[in-house]
Amino acid sequence: MSTADKRQTPAGGRRAPRAATGEPVPGSGAPDGQKAAERPTRLAVAAGLVALEGLAVLGVGIAMLVLPLTGDRTDGLLQAVTGAVTVLALAVLPLATARGLWLLRRWSRGPAVFTQLIALPVGWQMASASGLWVPAGLAVAATAAAGLVCLFHPRAAAALGVGAVRGG
């Protein structure tokens, strides 16, 4: 056993977990301070936009759950609750994806792009209506377009470890 190992071994003879000793844990990536320095601004913006979309979907799901209780809906209670639970479950994807983008997880880019591609036609459809749906639809479409621009930026892709691999 090396001197460093002896210093890190508690009295019981078992070695302290790597996280407690300050050593990097395999698969955990860099510490948060290093990740923040490596996180491009566009990727942070993309994470924020995706989180905002997830929160909006979450809000819709909560509203769908509350409306039947206030008597403002004409459908049956079971149908309203089923729809609300479905929308609440759909809010999990963008929220988890936003966290993954923030933590520079490679897997998060695909679901984030998918979320933006789904939001574009939703925004278009909303903007094609009338009244308050028009500005809401434009906001959804603009958010999705901005998210796609951020996600496909070369620095954001490089920070996530995706993109073309160039070798010689």
Side-chain angles (χ1 to χ4, degrees):
M1 192 182 295
S2 72
T3 307
D5 286 340
K6 288 179 186 175
R7 278 184 275 151
Q8 295 174 356
T9 305
R14 292 191 316 183
R15 190 169 176 194
R18 285 186 177 182
T21 62
E23 295 177 42
V25 177
S28 68
D32 287 339
Q34 285 179 341
K35 283 189 175 188
E38 296 171 5
R39 184 181 308 111
T41 303
R42 285 179 179 87
L43 193 56
V45 169
L49 291 173
V50 173
L52 182 66
E53 292 166 349
L55 290 173
V57 173
L58 185 67
V60 169
I62 291 171
M64 289 176 68
L65 198 56
V66 170
L67 284 177
L69 302 176
T70 62
D72 289 344
R73 291 202 52 156
T74 58
D75 1 344
L77 182 62
L78 181 62
Q79 184 179 2
V81 170
T82 302
V85 168
T86 302
V87 171
L88 289 171
L90 289 173
V92 172
L93 176 66
L95 292 173
T97 300
R99 184 174 188 275
L101 287 172
W102 186 257
L103 296 176
L104 302 176
R105 301 291 193 249
R106 182 179 180 152
W107 63 263
S108 63
R109 187 174 184 229
V113 169
F114 176 75
T115 301
Q116 304 316 301
L117 291 176
I118 293 297
L120 280 173
V122 169
W124 176 266
Q125 190 66 31
M126 289 169 65
S128 298
S130 61
L132 290 176
W133 289 107
V134 175
L138 292 174
V140 168
T143 302
L148 284 171
V149 167
C150 291
L151 288 167
F152 281 104
H153 191 273
R155 285 191 192 137
L160 293 172
V162 295
V165 177
R166 296 182 185 172

